[in-house]
Amino acid sequence: MARFGEATEAVSPRNAIARARLRASLIPDLLVEARRITNTVIAGWHGRRRRGVGENFWQFRPYVEGETMARIDWRRSARDDQTYVRDLEWEAAHTVWLWADPSPSMLYKSELGNVSKESRALVLVLALAELLSRSGERIAWPGLTDPFSSRNGAERLAARLGHEARFDPRPGLAPVTRYSDIVIASDFLDPVEETIAWLDPLAGRGVRAHLIEVSDPAEETFPYSGRTEFEDPETGQKLTAGRAETLSEDYRRLYGARRDELAAWCGRLGWSYTVSRTDRLASETLIKVHMTMTADVGRGRGR
């Protein structure tokens, strides 16, 4: 009988010590994979450059009525009929908080997926840590580290993750300061109202969130038929279906509605929502998240 949501046989999701050991054993390999992925996209990563107070030239842009005349670059404007302003680059480092869901459901890996959801989430977070650290940004993990800036930020974060024995299912987000960013990698299978209640205070502080839903292809397609036993990795409760295929339509409808509701809520807040399937390349997700973060900075939102 198939077990939908079952963790790996070697580790009980309710055994905190075993979970910590499993994570610690995975971290070195995941860091190597994160760096490999980073190197595939680094050519397109130009840092999170933005307009502001600084000394380095950033861009020319058309003059807007009401701006001070002192900002006009007359030499550039003399080349054609357009009046241009010379923008400088804001040099202050920004803080990006990173978090990967440690819930037992993240251990799930079906025959259709290439890796577990936990492995994918950690690889994405470590790859972002590598990219952001190379760009001079500060990174942090809520409940684990304070913001820090380091060229080997991903390695430092991986070391902390490997030595941590327990992780909060949902860390407190009070340390996430105003106008910083936060990247959250999770399967977001909790009730939507609980997820919104947890994250909504961030919007009031002007925090920009980027949600990455990590999904196993079996969770989307429900490829089950006949007598099937399903087990909740969080509670251990079991459900036996005599003809699993009869549940398929309702399951996919509810699964999609949850995703659509969360994505729409993020859209109303100006946040991003990206789906990362474990049968697809992690680099695809990394590029999408980078593009949303960079586009937001380019607009100079709230900074």
Side-chain angles (χ1 to χ4, degrees), residues 138-183:
R138 292 191 302 266
I139 61 173
W141 182 292
L144 184 65
T145 75
D146 293 325
F148 66 92
S149 178
S150 173
R151 292 291 295 177
N152 65 337
E155 184 176 347
R156 287 181 56 180
L157 185 60
R160 290 296 303 273
L161 290 171
H163 287 89
E164 189 68 14
R166 301 184 67 87
F167 290 88
D168 294 330
R170 279 184 181 161
L173 299 179
V176 181
T177 54
R178 188 173 180 83
Y179 298 138
S180 58
D181 281 40
I182 183 169
V183 178

Side-chain angles (χ1 to χ4, degrees), residues 225-248:
S225 61
R227 183 175 176 82
T228 308
E229 183 181 81
F230 302 95
E231 181 178 355
D232 186 335
E234 306 281 346
T235 66
Q237 293 181 334
K238 299 179 181 180
L239 170 68
T240 301
R243 296 177 58 198
E245 63 272 19
T246 63
L247 305 175
S248 178

Side-chain angles (χ1 to χ4, degrees), residues 23-24 31 61 64 68 79 115 178 184 192-193 228 258 260 268 281 289-290 302:
R23 180 184 288 251
L31 179 59
R61 62 174 177 81
V64 177
T68 175
R79 298 180 189 174
V115 295
R178 188 173 180 83
I184 299 173
V192 173
E193 58 272 16
T228 308
R258 169 203 55 82
D260 292 344
R268 291 193 294 270
L281 295 175
V289 173
H290 160 245

Side-chain angles (χ1 to χ4, degrees), residues 74-297:
W74 297 106
R75 179 175 296 180
R76 175 64 183 86
S77 301
R79 298 180 189 174
D80 51 42
D81 296 330
Q82 180 71 53
T83 303
Y84 289 96
V85 170
R86 182 184 182 91
D87 275 336
L88 301 178
E89 182 181 354
W90 187 31
E91 297 176 344
H94 187 62
T95 298
V96 180
W97 296 79
L98 305 168
W99 185 74
D101 190 347
S103 301
S105 65
M106 295 293 288
L107 291 172
Y108 181 63
K109 176 188 176 301
S110 73
E111 295 180 354
L112 302 178
N114 297 326
V115 295
S116 71
K117 293 188 291 182
E118 180 179 55
S119 293
R120 170 57 57 84
L122 286 170
V123 161
L124 288 172
V125 164
L126 291 173
L128 279 168
E130 182 79 5
L131 284 170
L132 292 164
S133 295
R134 292 188 190 185
S135 301
E137 306 281 17
R138 292 191 302 266
I139 61 173
W141 182 292
L144 184 65
T145 75
D146 293 325
F148 66 92
S149 178
S150 173
R151 292 291 295 177
N152 65 337
E155 184 176 347
R156 287 181 56 180
L157 185 60
R160 290 296 303 273
L161 290 171
H163 287 89
E164 189 68 14
R166 301 184 67 87
F167 290 88
D168 294 330
R170 279 184 181 161
L173 299 179
V176 181
T177 54
R178 188 173 180 83
Y179 298 138
S180 58
D181 281 40
I182 183 169
V183 178
I184 299 173
S186 170
D187 52 18
F188 295 108
L189 293 181
D190 290 324
V192 173
E193 58 272 16
E194 292 183 10
T195 301
I196 290 177
W198 177 48
L199 298 177
D200 192 55
L202 296 176
R205 299 202 296 272
V207 175
R208 163 96 165 159
H210 307 273
L211 275 57
I212 303 175
E213 180 190 325
V214 182
S215 173
D216 188 281
E219 293 177 322
E220 292 190 358
T221 60
F222 198 84
Y224 302 103
S225 61
R227 183 175 176 82
T228 308
E229 183 181 81
F230 302 95
E231 181 178 355
D232 186 335
E234 306 281 346
T235 66
Q237 293 181 334
K238 299 179 181 180
L239 170 68
T240 301
R243 296 177 58 198
E245 63 272 19
T246 63
L247 305 175
S248 178
E249 183 177 351
D250 287 341
Y251 169 86
R252 286 198 293 263
R253 176 176 54 81
L254 291 172
Y255 187 89
R258 169 203 55 82
R259 174 181 291 172
D260 292 344
E261 185 176 354
L262 269 179
W265 177 69
C266 288
R268 291 193 294 270
L269 294 175
W271 295 358
S272 68
Y273 194 91
T274 306
V275 176
S276 180
R277 282 181 42 144
T278 57
D279 60 339
R280 305 284 298 179
L281 295 175
S283 57
E284 295 177 2
T285 303
L286 189 62
I287 292 171
K288 289 179 181 178
V289 173
H290 160 245
M291 290 178 63
T292 59
M293 295 175 73
T294 304
D296 178 60
V297 169

